[in-house]
Amino acid sequence: MTDKELVARFFKEGYENRNFSFVLDCMAETYMDHSPAGARSNRDAVNILTAVAGFFGEMQVEMLDNFAENGMVATRVRYTAVHTGEYQGIPATGRRITFEALENFKVADGKIVESWGYWPDDAIRRMLTE
């Protein structure tokens, strides 16, 4: 599997299929997330994905861009989901929302070892409250 394929599969398996065994296998045990979520291991990453599944159901992920060079993979991803649980203090609304995020990954020896990315939290909050 190429680095690009690995990252694309991470999104599908982690967010859509909730295949957390795959996530544990595709990420290094010492995985480091440089986003505000701040995972410090592959198990932390699974805990974050589990939390996301709790507040956003029916998650669908569309890979809009996926570029790889020298062990780095840059992505632009569109998420679509239903707000099913409390998110940043906002009770479940049942609203279907769509947003895009840019996320970058470092891959070494066939494993995701680091990532950088941010969800557009302000835009998500507006979609849930307006």
Side-chain angles (χ1 to χ4, degrees):
M1 183 177 335
T2 68
D3 294 350
K4 285 171 50 171
E5 292 167 337
L6 176 69
V7 168
R9 189 157 174 220
F10 158 76
F11 280 103
K12 287 290 184 189
E13 296 299 330
Y15 286 100
E16 286 188 13
N17 299 333
R18 299 178 185 171
N19 180 354
F20 301 136
S21 293
F22 175 80
V23 173
L24 287 172
D25 290 341
C26 82
M27 296 182 136
E29 288 182 19
T30 57
Y31 164 73
M32 174 88 52
D33 176 6
H34 299 280
S35 77
R40 295 296 178 252
S41 70
N42 59 350
R43 293 201 181 279
D44 283 354
V46 166
N47 291 338
I48 291 165
L49 289 168
T50 301
V52 169
F55 44 78
F56 289 125
E58 300 177 35
M59 179 73 78
Q60 296 293 305
V61 180
E62 180 183 1
M63 185 69 58
L64 301 173
D65 295 310
N66 186 349
F67 301 95
E69 185 174 327
N70 299 324
M72 293 298 295
V73 179
T75 66
R76 183 171 59 103
V77 180
R78 179 180 295 131
Y79 296 89
T80 302
V82 176
H83 181 216
T84 55
E86 184 177 318
Y87 176 73
Q88 295 190 356
I90 302 167
T93 63
R95 291 183 183 172
R96 181 170 297 280
I97 63 168
T98 299
F99 60 92
E100 291 183 14
L102 302 174
E103 302 196 35
N104 298 320
F105 298 84
K106 182 176 181 180
V107 178
D109 300 321
K111 302 266 188 185
I112 297 170
V113 296
E114 290 183 85
S115 68
W116 298 260
Y118 301 91
W119 278 15
D121 289 326
D122 290 340
I124 293 169
R125 277 192 297 275
R126 280 192 302 277
M127 284 184 262
L128 298 176
T129 59
E130 294 179 358

